[in-house]
Amino acid sequence: MALLQLSEPGQSPDPHARRVAVGIDLGTTHSLVAALRHGHAESLPDAEGRVLLPSIVRYRDDGGVDLGHTAQAAQGEDPEHTIASVKRLMGRKLADLPDAGKLPYRLVDGAGMVHIGTPQGAKSPVEVSAQILAELRRRAEDSFDTDLFGAVITVPAYFDDAQRQATKDAAELAGLKVLRLINEPTAAAVAYGLDNGSEGLYLIYDLGGGTFDVSLLRLSRGVFEVVATGGDSALGGDDFDRALAAWVLAHAGLAVETARDKQAVLSAARHAKEALTDADQVGLSAGLSIGALKVPVDRSAFDAATRPLIDRTIAVMRKVLRDARVDKGDVQGVVLVGGATRMPSVRAAVQAHFGRPPLTNLDPDQVVALGAAIQANALAGNSREGELLLLDVIPLSLGLETMGGLVERIIERNTTIPVAKAQEFTTFKDGQTAMAIHVVQGERELVSDCRSLARFELRGIPPMAAGAARIRVTFQVDADGLLSVSAREVTSGVEATVVVKPSYGLSDDDVARMLREGFRTAEDDMRARALREAQVDAERLALATRSALAADGDLLNPDERSAIDRHLAALDAARRGADDSAIRSALDALADSTEAFAAARMNRSIRSALTGRRVEEV
Amino acid sequence: MKIDDDDFTLFALPRRFAIDGNALAQRWRELQAEVHPDRFAAEGAAAQRVAMQWAVRVNEAYQRLKDPLARATYLCALAGHRLDPHDNHAMPPAFLVRQMEWHDALAEAESTDDVNALDGEVDAQLKQLRRDVQADLDERHDALAALPKLRQWMFLARLREEIERRLEALES
């Protein structure tokens, strides 16, 4: 739309202000960062040329922290304090983790979610993830020799609100500005779609280290529309290691007790699984405290031991197709994502189900980060207009508890975001002045079978007869898939509004403390950075506003125009100074004064889009 | 084009029950391509807020127009006849008896074949209701006549959900 265009296509408004934005795949077993370079998405390597960073953090006795490959090397000697697969713990309480006893860590319920005991105190999964993210941020900053504008972080499509919030908190703790959380299968589709110029229905089968996701997408001229999604947030490649380890131990007639032995068997199983991708038979061996373990494993034994896991993935695929009311014959292609899809048995099962070979031409370990990088670049305002638009959905229904412990669903799963929906409830007792509101997520009828997201009370309802009050509860899910809920009593004109964000995340105090403790550098640096960011934002907004005025200034009357001009001048003055908070308030003032103008421009642009269409049709 | 226009005006579609699903989906993608907040990533907070309101509004209209029951209910409301979901008085006894029979059949069904057979019956009934509602709304322009059929439709839609849950349970 020419009316919305801020500059010539392909040109950044200011060549010095190109924003470096990255895509980060924060994976269960490994993580990586990618960015656009010379128009192509590339994974960024570390100093040794390695792209994948094992998602492993070790908290040492001496107060130091090891990350990635270094931590992985220590897994055998210090399994209890070397934390792997922390993604499985994000936003989870002990009660959510049936297999907690099989993990080599000391887990305790802490603020909001489970914590892991280390020599440096109990660490939340958010802090552990932040260590990994901070390492990737440093890698990207070194690669570009500049501060990052922001990042798109990927999450499994099936992550619930608590898991998403925890991921966002971890990124902020690592000093990253989160431009967007996007779903991993969607990111993979972006990477494939832009490379292959595909159109039609595509199914993404994403089997990562610890999560399984299926998304069905419709691709149509740069628009990626998620039609339905499903998955299992506790099924991944790690489970294949465990299944094989259990089979081997049963076969050898052994039982292991210590954390170190458990870890040794699991590592041996992982190596055997990976070797079986190319070999038909391998020897699995591990040195245990109870003696040496040595068992030959052939592929058919491995396939038999892990078949139930593959069957679970097939059942999820069926359900997604049924949700979308799509026949498997309508699917144009199946994309495999995640290192675990290298297993020949997975490829064979997918091929058997769809009767055609899956698409595997992009590296399944990197494809998610590459797609996230493409979206990050677009959200930073660098990409040409009209290139790409993601329309994602919420994976799980959202609702409220009603009388009798039943769930009233407010927003159904697979609804496109952003979305807002309101529903009215009433009081059930005469003179009732408060109402408890319990927000839940899930598909089941009973509250006890769903995940509890938040509870709050609406107080100050004027006393009325039962059923006379009208309490309007509004759910809003933003483009990150994060929920906020508000409630208001409407009949009396008395207003009481509460907005909750689920409290699984960290409090501001927690964040401040953790920032002091580590991830960010000295305070002076932070201030300088805040000022630079504010100046760049101010420059951008001033430029955007001036081009909007040039294009659509006729929509304003002289009073409105002079108010905007006044705020623009104030912003110009502020951004030449060194006070970032003065710049921020000038930014807010200009934004507020242009809100009605923005709305009027939107109306005009939609009308002109419609007119353009009519002309085309004639 | 304004944010408080009705759904049909917003989507530039004729105000009728029969709808071209492809045109609807295409129009939705075009509208989102205009209004989605990601399109205004570089334009500051005011533009983001306006875009968010629009994107929510466009999605709301799309959800309503896409779903035949929601679309029919909305057309009745536009014609001045609101459907009260809790008002069951106009339900014909024969329909209620049949409902109970179906619920019993679902409770007793033991195989996916049983459930699928029941699903076929319910589906046929739903299709008939849909044809009747379409005739009321598009040919006779009589929204009031459509209302009791919409109540039956709601009953059957709920039964359909139970059937689907049952199928899932039987398969897993």
Side-chain angles (χ1 to χ4, degrees):
Chain A
M1 265 309 93
L3 293 171
L4 294 174
Q5 207 164 308
L6 298 176
S7 58
E8 288 303 305
Q11 268 183 353
S12 185
D14 172 357
H16 303 293
R18 181 183 179 257
R19 295 163 155 183
V20 176
V22 297
I24 293 181
D25 176 359
L26 180 62
T28 307
T29 49
H30 56 248
S31 301
L32 70 157
V33 56
L36 251 67
R37 272 183 164 161
H38 318 298
H40 287 280
E42 287 176 18
S43 300
L44 305 178
D46 65 8
E48 279 82 56
R50 298 171 299 204
V51 162
L52 300 185
L53 175 73
S55 303
I56 303 178
V57 180
R58 178 189 180 200
Y59 292 90
R60 295 196 310 255
D61 291 336
D62 63 7
V65 174
D66 292 330
L67 270 171
H69 297 280
T70 321
Q72 190 173 36
Q75 232 180 340
E77 60 178 274
D78 188 17
E80 205 178 326
H81 307 132
T82 306
I83 299 153
S85 300
V86 71
K87 189 174 180 177
R88 286 173 180 252
L89 308 179
M90 291 289 268
R92 288 283 164 262
K93 292 182 189 297
L94 260 185
D96 301 324
L97 302 163
D99 288 344
K102 292 185 191 159
L103 295 172
Y105 319 122
R106 276 182 296 121
L107 299 177
V108 285
D109 269 333
M113 66 188 85
V114 73
H115 281 52
I116 305 133
T118 80
Q120 301 172 35
K123 297 288 173 193
S124 90
V126 170
E127 291 179 73
V128 179
S129 301
Q131 291 279 3
I132 298 162
L133 288 166
E135 176 70 18
L136 294 172
R137 172 171 70 89
R138 284 189 288 270
R139 185 191 287 186
E141 285 175 349
D142 290 349
S143 300
F144 288 97
D145 199 22
T146 178
D147 285 344
L148 295 186
F149 172 68
V152 166
I153 318 280
T154 60
V155 291
Y158 217 60
F159 254 23
D160 68 23
D161 205 82
Q163 293 166 304
R164 282 170 202 265
Q165 191 66 53
T167 304
K168 201 171 184 181
D169 286 345
E172 278 163 12
L173 193 55
L176 287 164
K177 175 172 164 187
V178 180
L179 301 173
R180 176 63 45 81
L181 299 178
I182 67 172
N183 292 329
E184 287 159 11
T186 312
V190 169
Y192 264 95
L194 292 186
D195 275 18
N196 298 350
S198 324
E199 301 263 315
L201 273 176
Y202 284 79
L203 185 129
I204 317 294
Y205 178 107
D206 180 357
L207 187 61
T211 54
F212 176 63
D213 265 340
V214 172
S215 284
L216 185 70
L217 287 103
R218 182 173 287 114
L219 276 58
S220 168
R221 276 175 271 170
V223 178
F224 291 68
E225 172 199 349
V226 179
V227 181
T229 188
D232 187 334
S233 61
L235 172 63
D238 294 359
D239 295 292
F240 287 72
D241 302 345
R242 279 195 205 100
L244 179 59
W247 179 85
V248 164
L249 289 173
H251 196 75
L254 291 175
V256 291
E257 300 294 339
T258 66
R260 195 170 290 199
D261 282 356
K262 284 180 192 171
Q263 187 54 48
V265 178
L266 272 183
S267 296
R270 191 180 71 237
H271 286 130
K273 173 188 78 175
E274 286 167 5
L276 280 170
T277 293
D278 297 314
D280 289 329
Q281 176 153 2
V282 297
L284 182 151
S285 58
L288 306 178
S289 59
I290 47 175
L293 175 71
K294 209 166 165 54
V295 177
V297 183
D298 64 17
R299 198 183 277 165
S300 62
F302 174 75
D303 289 353
T306 57
R307 184 73 217 179
L309 298 171
I310 290 187
D311 288 343
R312 274 164 70 190
T313 70
I314 302 289
V316 171
M317 275 204 297
R318 274 186 216 277
K319 186 162 154 46
V320 167
L321 292 174
R322 193 165 53 222
D323 276 353
R325 301 186 194 287
V326 161
D327 191 76
K328 64 185 179 189
D330 300 335
V331 176
Q332 316 245 306
V334 182
V335 173
L336 295 188
V337 182
T341 60
R342 289 203 176 86
M343 283 184 277
S345 54
V346 167
R347 297 191 171 197
V350 171
Q351 176 154 359
H353 190 71
F354 285 95
R356 70 172 85 190
L359 301 172
T360 54
N361 48 321
L362 294 178
D363 182 337
D365 283 326
Q366 296 187 30
V367 57
V368 166
L370 297 175
I374 293 167
Q375 174 71 345
N377 189 60
L379 290 178
N382 295 325
S383 84
R384 273 170 301 175
E385 203 182 314
E387 248 178 10
L388 164 68
L389 183 67
L390 301 189
L391 299 172
D392 223 316
V393 299
I394 59 163
L396 299 163
S397 301
L398 295 162
L400 282 179
E401 174 169 359
T402 59
M403 297 288 290
L406 295 175
V407 179
E408 172 80 16
R409 283 207 288 274
I410 309 282
I411 305 181
E412 298 282 337
R413 72 163 184 266
N414 290 330
T415 301
T416 308
I417 51 176
V419 61
K421 228 167 174 182
Q423 192 143 327
E424 283 190 3
F425 294 85
T426 191
T427 47
F428 67 98
K429 272 190 202 146
D430 286 339
Q432 188 178 343
T433 59
M435 182 178 253
I437 290 165
H438 183 199
V439 184
V440 299
Q441 184 164 34
E443 310 311 316
R444 307 283 292 275
E445 304 278 276
L446 293 177
V447 167
S448 51
D449 295 330
C450 289
R451 169 159 291 270
S452 168
L453 289 181
R455 287 172 191 273
F456 65 98
E457 278 188 5
L458 178 67
R459 295 185 168 279
I461 302 171
M464 286 181 246
R470 284 169 54 206
I471 290 129
R472 194 172 172 79
V473 181
T474 306
F475 279 50
Q476 178 161 318
V477 182
D478 67 15
D480 286 326
L482 292 170
L483 167 73
S484 55
V485 181
S486 63
R488 199 162 67 92
E489 204 290 311
V490 285
T491 47
S492 58
V494 175
E495 224 179 31
T497 304
V498 191
V499 178
V500 278
K501 294 243 178 204
S503 58
Y504 288 86
L506 302 173
S507 71
D508 290 348
D509 286 351
D510 285 342
V511 172
R513 174 182 59 78
M514 291 182 204
L515 284 177
R516 272 200 306 279
E517 283 174 1
F519 307 107
R520 277 235 173 136
T521 36
E523 194 171 332
D524 286 352
D525 267 14
M526 277 172 68
R527 297 211 70 136
R529 186 175 157 141
L531 177 61
R532 248 191 342 271
E533 280 173 5
Q535 283 170 332
V536 171
D537 285 352
E539 205 177 321
R540 286 253 168 178
L541 186 64
L543 200 70
T545 308
R546 290 208 163 86
S547 17
L549 286 171
D552 296 316
D554 60 303
L555 290 167
L556 297 167
N557 67 35
D559 283 354
E560 293 164 341
R561 174 66 192 240
S562 73
I564 293 177
D565 284 341
R566 213 168 46 242
H567 288 296
L568 253 180
L571 181 64
D572 284 341
R575 75 186 159 106
R576 281 190 292 271
D579 179 354
D580 64 283
S581 61
I583 300 175
R584 289 281 163 214
S585 42
L587 268 168
D588 290 344
L590 179 60
D592 290 343
S593 74
T594 54
E595 185 129 359
F597 181 43
R601 294 180 69 218
M602 188 72 99
N603 291 348
R604 172 179 276 184
S605 98
I606 289 170
R607 210 173 308 130
S608 81
L610 196 67
T611 322
R613 186 178 136 83
R614 284 279 158 71
V615 171
E616 254 171 57
E617 279 177 354
V618 172
Chain B
M1 204 68 34
K2 298 186 306 296
I3 198 161
D4 49 4
D5 280 336
D6 72 77
D7 295 354
F8 292 96
T9 308
L10 189 61
F11 275 69
L13 291 167
R15 193 189 280 193
R16 46 186 288 132
F17 179 74
I19 206 163
D20 174 350
N22 288 330
L24 175 68
Q26 182 56 33
R27 183 73 191 133
W28 172 63
R29 285 191 286 267
E30 285 168 10
L31 282 172
Q32 282 296 358
E34 291 296 323
V35 304
H36 197 280
D38 289 0
R39 286 289 193 241
F40 303 90
E43 286 200 46
Q48 283 289 312
R49 284 196 290 268
V50 171
M52 173 77 177
Q53 285 164 8
W54 266 96
V56 164
R57 172 71 187 96
V58 167
N59 279 338
E60 174 198 46
Y62 181 53
Q63 290 293 334
R64 193 153 44 207
L65 293 180
K66 199 166 61 160
D67 175 32
L69 175 55
R71 185 169 71 240
T73 310
Y74 183 64
L75 279 167
C76 288
L78 287 178
H81 301 291
R82 293 201 168 274
L83 179 72
D84 176 0
H86 303 294
D87 174 15
N88 291 334
H89 74 273
M91 212 57 85
F95 177 80
L96 290 174
V97 169
R98 195 150 184 216
Q99 274 283 308
M100 277 192 289
E101 285 167 1
W102 276 334
H103 273 280
D104 290 346
L106 182 61
E108 285 158 20
E110 280 168 4
S111 67
T112 52
D113 284 348
D114 293 351
V115 181
N116 278 326
L118 179 63
D119 192 37
E121 275 182 52
V122 175
D123 191 45
Q125 177 80 16
L126 270 171
K127 287 204 170 93
Q128 182 58 47
L129 271 173
R130 187 174 165 155
R131 277 192 296 272
D132 293 347
V133 166
Q134 182 164 334
D136 286 341
L137 291 174
D138 290 355
E139 289 158 31
R140 289 191 280 279
H141 303 286
D142 186 355
L144 204 54
L147 277 187
K149 291 166 194 145
L150 292 183
R151 284 196 195 96
Q152 296 185 17
W153 191 337
M154 281 173 60
F155 261 71
L156 294 184
R158 238 172 279 145
L159 179 61
R160 203 82 196 276
E161 277 176 30
E162 281 169 41
I163 289 175
E164 268 169 36
R165 266 199 296 275
R166 189 67 201 274
L167 274 178
E168 270 167 32
L170 281 171
E171 276 174 26
S172 66

